[in-house]
Amino acid sequence: MREFRVIVHNRGTDWSSVKNTSLRGKITLDNDRLSLNDLAVLLDRNEKIDDRLRAISDLNGFYAIVRVEGDNALAVADRVRSIPLFYGHDNDCVYLSDDPHWIQKQIGVHDLDDRAKDEFLMTGYVTGDRTLSPVVKQVQAGEAVRISLDDAGNVLVKQHHYQRYIPKCHTHISVDDVIHELDKTLTSVFARLINEANGRTIVVPLSGGYDSRLIV
């Protein structure tokens, strides 16, 4: 079986690492800041992937996480993919980075994916986990990607969506209860935002629509 090798490359200087866990950004849990050490302990405590995904789904903030342990690597993007994270592999190694061009260079393939190129020209972006490069994939919003080797020594990539935006209509809930729940959620969201701003000026672009008015 081929040796499992993962190279993690970070373009910026704002990544922090402890043991086998790397973090960029800031994480909160129950409205409290979660340190990198706390995050590593949380992942250690939840070894099974289902338990780990449930723990990750409770996190808030703007972050990207990379975890390498033995013959497994885990790459996680927050719910809105505020910090892009990419991955790719060749016959010898798996590459994880916030720089897709670096991954292209390591693999040595610089061609564009024709289908992705057409999609980008028509929409302004590429959907799903694809990028403009045929050898570079992206971790999607609310997704954890687990990379390992199968029994034959081939690289195995498995995507886990710990968060999906699928609105549901709960007809048994009264309008008053829905408004109350919405108020609780908005209060929690904006409390985290104000805490994160820490006295800095918050700029809200005004479109004239309901969203910007609600934010203000």
Side-chain angles (χ1 to χ4, degrees):
M1 179 181 295
R2 191 168 70 243
E3 179 185 1
F4 186 79
R5 297 175 56 235
V6 177
I7 296 179
V8 180
H9 170 271
N10 303 322
R11 175 175 51 185
T13 58
D14 49 357
W15 282 83
S16 300
S17 299
V18 57
K19 294 182 180 179
N20 53 4
T21 304
S22 297
L23 169 68
R24 182 180 177 188
K26 298 176 182 178
I27 296 178
T28 58
L29 179 62
D30 298 327
N31 289 339
D32 293 324
R33 178 66 59 79
L34 195 70
S35 70
L36 175 58
N37 286 326
D38 293 335
L39 173 64
V41 170
L42 178 69
L43 296 177
D44 285 338
R45 193 165 58 237
N46 296 277
E47 295 182 2
K48 295 182 179 179
I49 186 62
D50 289 340
D51 295 335
R52 186 165 288 181
L53 292 174
R54 277 191 290 270
I56 292 173
S57 68
D58 291 333
L59 303 178
N60 282 303
F62 307 98
Y63 60 83
I65 300 170
V66 173
R67 170 95 165 189
V68 180
E69 44 192 346
D71 59 354
N72 281 276
L74 187 70
V76 183
D78 61 33
R79 290 185 178 92
V80 296
R81 190 176 171 266
S82 57
I83 300 174
L85 193 56
F86 304 90
Y87 60 95
H89 64 85
D90 54 22
N91 292 328
D92 299 317
C93 191
V94 174
Y95 304 97
L96 287 165
S97 179
D98 55 5
D99 184 356
H101 303 292
W102 177 84
I103 297 177
Q104 277 187 298
K105 184 177 179 180
Q106 303 310 304
I107 298 177
V109 175
H110 300 279
D111 298 332
L112 294 179
D113 183 317
D114 289 336
R115 180 181 174 190
K117 182 173 62 176
D118 291 340
E119 185 176 13
F120 180 82
L121 291 173
M122 293 179 65
T123 63
Y125 54 88
V126 179
T127 58
D129 66 344
R130 296 180 300 118
T131 68
L132 288 172
S133 169
V135 297
V136 179
K137 300 295 184 183
Q138 57 185 330
V139 183
Q140 300 177 80
E143 182 180 72
V145 175
R146 187 168 50 157
I147 307 173
S148 59
L149 293 181
D150 62 19
D151 293 337
N154 300 310
V155 174
L156 179 65
V157 176
K158 191 167 185 180
Q159 299 163 306
H160 303 272
H161 297 276
Y162 68 85
Q163 178 71 35
R164 290 180 183 272
Y165 180 67
I166 306 177
K168 297 180 181 178
C169 181
H170 300 282
T171 55
H172 63 283
I173 301 177
S174 69
V175 173
D176 288 341
D177 288 340
V178 170
I179 292 175
H180 177 68
E181 190 65 30
L182 176 62
D183 182 67
K184 283 175 53 182
T185 301
L186 290 175
T187 300
S188 176
V189 168
F190 287 115
R192 290 199 305 270
L193 175 62
I194 293 170
N195 183 60
E196 183 64 33
N198 194 26
R200 291 173 294 177
T201 300
I202 298 175
V203 178
V204 182
L206 295 177
S207 65
Y210 289 117
D211 293 340
S212 58
R213 293 189 218 178
L214 174 62
I215 292 171
V216 172

